[in-house]
Amino acid sequence: MRPVYLISGGVTKFAKAHPEKDFRLMVKEAYDYALRDIPALTPDMIDGAVGSYFSDHFTRQLKAASMVQDYLGLCPKPSKRIEGGGATGGLCLQSAWEAIASGRMECCVAFGFETMSRVSTWKGNEFIALASDTNFDFPIGGFYTGYYAMMVQRHMYEFGTTVEQMAMVSVKNHINALYNPYAQKAKRLTIEQVRQAPMVATPLTMEDICTMSDGAAVCILASERIASRVCDRPVHITGVGSGSDTMRMADRPHGKVLLLPHEQESDYATLRYPGVHSFRGGRMAAKLAYHMAGIQDPREELSFIELHDAYTSSEIQTYEDLGLCKYGEGGSFVESGIPFMPGIDYGLSLPQQGRLPVNPSGGLLACGHPVGATGLMQAVFALWQLQGAIEKHLGNGMLQVSRPRRGLIHSHAGTGTYITVTILEAVT
Amino acid sequence: MNESPEGSDPLAQHRVEILSMDPLILRDRYEIEYRHSYAQDTPFFLGLSKGELLGSRCTQCRYFYATPRRHCMECGHATTWERLPTTARIHTFTVCYYGSERFLKETPYVLILVEFEGVNTLFLSRLKGVDPEQVRIGMPVRPRFAKEPTYTVTDVWFEPIEQG
Ligand SMILES: [Zn+2]
């Protein structure tokens, strides 16, 4: 394995619908943006690409990544499509990382997109629910919000997590997005407004759930040789990890916690794990990524996190999987203020505000979730954070984390069936 | 399939319906008929049609799954079909006020994960015959079966066991 760098990225404005652009044009816009950021990179230096989109149903087109490949002018270079549900973008980034790390390529493009607007919201929910077991789960009333609602009901029962703690995540991410022009659904919210929004599946309201989007994102990865030639501030990808869990939530075991370096077995003497309250695949992904990056205590060694908050509840569950707090403490973690941005008024009392910002971009809740683009969007925002270039790309510096050293991005599929964690570091 | 003046070309059977001229947006449909096989899980669905809820017990390590699974995830050995207990408890639940398009007309509906004494994993089902406001984790429930089987997993659902 050799060092791999993220050298540029681009994101389209995420929107409910872009009927005037198809997926090829959305990717092209993000790709051209990424190329403009590193003008010294010429097309002949690109060795190939990996494409990412979730659903052939949404696109009404199989092998859509081939059409992007030719639209970008990358034929006849190597290409393939990665599909892994909601984690598609994270898996795509890691696939491009593999191409460079193995020495197979010197420079690889990772592109992702989704056009979710071509069907109604509830048909779209059905397409997503078809990514649960179609013999045993989908016919019961297949609905991902329903699945996540059941998981967090159990989290609340086991640990005393509250709907107000979940609402704080919604407040945080929607307000962060006020400073992110790429976001779809930025707004100032209160805990009361989150709870008074229409109930979707108890206890999750419309404001606890991300929306469907049209959008695309592109990352360009390179070896040290290329990165040092074309990029002033490349970002080093120092850790990759991924994990999995059973397709049917019902099949999850109730056993022992998979421990991180800063935890002990005695922390969890009575906890039956993962059950349906926690994501074992997320814990596995974190453990592998921390090991590769040499992270002993993520609470002290990370500067910011962009994680897969498809639901406010899953952000709280993911704090625990990533070891930012112990299992069961995700609710009090958000109350502490630690995952909020410093210097932004959320209308909340936050004693430790801004110690470790989570989803400074606004996350999926506010940016939107064009599935195949989402994990790559996180990588682009992490790149800009670590380059200190948030102001350059977003037009304001409110979301710039101060002197960030190391960021974590987390991409998540199904009810936790595929999860990726990637660690990125500023080069000093 | 409807008769159409264009003859037997399936593509020609769509009547053009324009939703927008710029960008040009047309209404389009996409339908697929499958010969879907339950394959090795067939006995589970036949069991439901006879009012039996079958789990899978590992012949080697004895792990007991509340769902159909022909081979054990823990040790890889074959499982045998074994009836699940006829009483159970709610492990977790939600009341869906919205849903996928297919289920929108059934809202509000209650999803539950069911836990059985002595069984290692859970079972996803619907809870019926209850005020959604009254559903609680730990509530005792029992399976009910469709009189006219549809040979889908919806041939079984759960109802609360009356307390008293
Ligand atoms: Zn076994």
Side-chain angles (χ1 to χ4, degrees):
Chain A
M1 264 182 346
R2 57 182 186 158
V4 179
Y5 297 85
L6 180 55
I7 59 172
S8 192
V11 185
T12 64
K13 161 87 180 166
F14 288 0
K16 182 156 182 60
H18 279 308
E20 73 291 359
K21 296 172 198 169
D22 73 6
F23 54 91
R24 299 168 304 164
L25 180 51
M26 290 194 301
V27 175
K28 172 71 172 161
E29 287 181 3
Y31 179 61
D32 286 349
Y33 189 98
L35 289 179
R36 280 197 300 276
D37 205 37
I38 43 168
L41 184 81
T42 51
D44 59 291
M45 295 160 83
I46 295 170
D47 296 315
V50 190
S52 150
Y53 68 102
F54 157 57
S55 175
D56 297 320
H57 296 312
F58 276 119
T59 317
R60 207 212 61 170
Q61 172 67 59
L62 277 70
K63 278 195 93 311
S66 295
M67 296 163 72
V68 176
Q69 182 81 1
D70 75 47
Y71 202 81
L72 299 184
L74 290 170
C75 295
K77 293 172 180 177
S79 185
K80 65 184 166 190
R81 177 248 184 124
I82 299 287
E83 191 281 302
T88 295
L91 290 164
C92 178
L93 182 77
Q94 293 193 349
S95 180
W97 176 88
E98 285 156 12
I100 310 288
S102 65
R104 187 179 170 201
M105 294 188 195
E106 294 293 323
C107 181
C108 183
V109 174
F111 65 80
F113 62 85
E114 211 75 42
T115 41
M116 306 177 83
S117 65
R118 307 306 202 247
V119 296
S120 79
T121 295
W122 306 112
K123 193 64 175 179
N125 270 284
E126 192 172 303
F127 288 167
I128 294 168
L130 290 170
S132 61
D133 189 314
T134 56
N135 284 346
F136 299 102
D137 291 351
F138 178 74
I140 304 293
F143 184 36
Y144 260 93
T145 306
Y147 302 155
Y148 276 81
M150 284 190 283
M151 288 190 277
V152 77
Q153 291 275 25
R154 190 68 197 185
H155 197 275
M156 294 164 75
Y157 178 85
E158 294 276 347
F159 305 125
T161 311
T162 67
V163 293
E164 288 77 18
Q165 290 166 337
M166 288 152 56
M168 289 178 79
V169 173
S170 180
V171 170
K172 169 174 72 73
N173 295 356
H174 284 102
I175 290 179
N176 286 351
L178 288 169
Y179 308 98
N180 180 358
Y182 291 98
Q184 177 174 339
K185 205 182 142 214
K187 58 181 167 181
R188 185 161 283 279
L189 273 177
T190 64
I191 290 173
E192 294 69 33
Q193 286 170 326
V194 175
R195 294 314 303 163
Q196 284 159 12
M199 185 60 71
V200 179
T202 55
L204 299 171
T205 75
M206 287 284 184
E207 298 295 358
D208 285 302
I209 303 172
C210 69
T211 57
M212 297 199 198
S213 310
D214 285 3
V218 166
C219 291
I220 302 178
L221 288 76
S223 65
E224 191 157 316
R225 184 169 67 80
I226 298 279
S228 60
R229 260 170 63 194
V230 304
C231 183
D232 295 336
R233 280 174 295 180
V235 162
H236 188 189
I237 300 175
T238 56
V240 296
S242 66
S244 62
D245 215 330
T246 61
M247 186 65 153
R248 294 182 297 219
M249 278 196 293
D251 291 347
R252 310 271 162 94
H254 291 75
K256 281 188 177 173
V257 177
L258 200 56
L259 297 173
L260 293 175
H262 66 293
E263 294 178 325
Q264 286 103 46
E265 202 164 317
S266 58
D267 293 341
Y268 302 118
T270 59
L271 181 61
R272 299 172 72 231
Y273 178 88
V276 296
H277 52 75
S278 297
F279 301 115
R280 180 174 55 155
R283 177 47 72 95
M284 173 61 88
K287 191 178 167 80
L288 293 170
Y290 293 160
H291 180 75
M292 191 185 289
I295 293 174
Q296 292 298 315
D297 188 340
R299 299 167 301 181
E300 302 300 327
E301 297 171 57
L302 294 169
S303 311
F304 68 92
I305 290 165
E306 290 283 346
L307 65 78
H308 192 99
D309 57 327
Y311 303 92
T312 55
S313 51
S314 50
E315 175 158 329
I316 287 179
Q317 289 163 304
T318 300
Y319 296 151
E320 301 171 358
D321 299 326
L322 298 180
L324 309 183
C325 56
K326 283 184 194 159
Y327 276 111
E329 294 177 354
S332 49
F333 183 77
V334 71
E335 276 179 345
S336 73
I338 292 171
F340 288 73
M341 279 299 291
I344 290 179
D345 175 18
Y346 296 93
L348 298 167
S349 156
L350 302 165
Q352 299 181 69
Q353 180 172 351
R355 262 189 42 203
L356 175 52
V358 176
N359 286 325
S361 69
L364 284 58
L365 283 169
C367 290
H369 182 20
V371 185
T374 303
L376 294 167
M377 163 199 78
Q378 296 171 326
V380 175
F381 289 138
L383 168 73
W384 293 344
Q385 285 286 6
L386 290 162
Q387 291 181 323
I390 288 290
E391 183 163 8
K392 173 183 170 190
H393 296 286
L394 303 191
N396 75 88
M398 285 294 285
L399 301 177
Q400 179 66 58
V401 173
S402 167
R403 293 188 298 281
R405 200 170 78 81
R406 195 187 248 154
L408 179 153
I409 57 174
H410 162 273
S411 192
H412 174 118
T415 54
T417 44
Y418 294 145
I419 303 181
T420 65
V421 169
T422 305
I423 309 290
L424 304 103
E425 296 187 25
V427 176
T428 47
Chain B
M1 208 174 267
N2 295 323
E3 284 296 317
S4 86
E6 290 85 359
S8 60
D9 177 358
L11 289 176
Q13 294 189 4
H14 291 282
R15 277 229 248 117
V16 177
E17 195 178 330
I18 296 169
L19 301 175
S20 159
M21 287 306 287
D22 186 18
L24 186 56
I25 303 175
L26 309 183
R27 191 178 296 280
D28 190 20
R29 296 193 66 81
Y30 178 47
E31 288 173 19
I32 310 166
E33 186 175 299
Y34 290 95
R35 284 185 290 275
H36 182 67
S37 174
Y38 287 125
Q40 70 271 19
D41 293 335
T42 293
F44 171 82
F45 294 93
L46 297 180
L48 295 184
S49 73
K50 291 178 283 189
E52 287 179 4
L53 188 53
L54 297 175
S56 313
R57 170 85 79 174
C58 180
T59 53
Q60 181 72 24
C61 75
R62 310 301 294 160
Y63 201 93
F64 194 5
Y65 299 90
T67 50
R69 180 175 288 279
R70 193 69 187 81
H71 287 88
C72 177
M73 281 195 293
E74 297 292 314
C75 75
H77 283 80
T79 61
T80 54
W81 298 104
E82 185 171 317
R83 283 185 75 161
L84 291 166
T86 52
T87 61
R89 285 182 185 279
I90 294 177
H91 184 77
T92 189
F93 70 97
T94 184
V95 186
C96 294
Y97 292 93
Y98 291 87
S100 302
E101 187 179 82
R102 163 117 52 117
F103 307 109
L104 270 183
K105 61 185 180 300
E106 300 169 25
T107 57
Y109 58 83
V110 183
L111 297 179
I112 57 172
L113 280 163
V114 181
E115 61 180 43
F116 299 90
E117 184 80 34
V119 181
N120 297 95
T121 66
L122 307 171
F123 185 79
L124 177 67
S125 196
R126 284 269 187 108
L127 183 71
K128 298 183 185 175
V130 63
D131 173 2
E133 299 277 313
Q134 302 304 314
V135 184
R136 296 287 178 271
I137 287 174
M139 184 182 269
V141 292
R142 67 172 166 218
R144 307 292 284 172
F145 298 89
K147 290 199 174 62
E148 294 290 329
T150 62
Y151 299 99
T152 68
V153 71
T154 59
D155 284 348
V156 63
W157 65 89
F158 284 75
E159 284 182 359
I161 298 172
E162 299 302 326
Q163 301 288 286

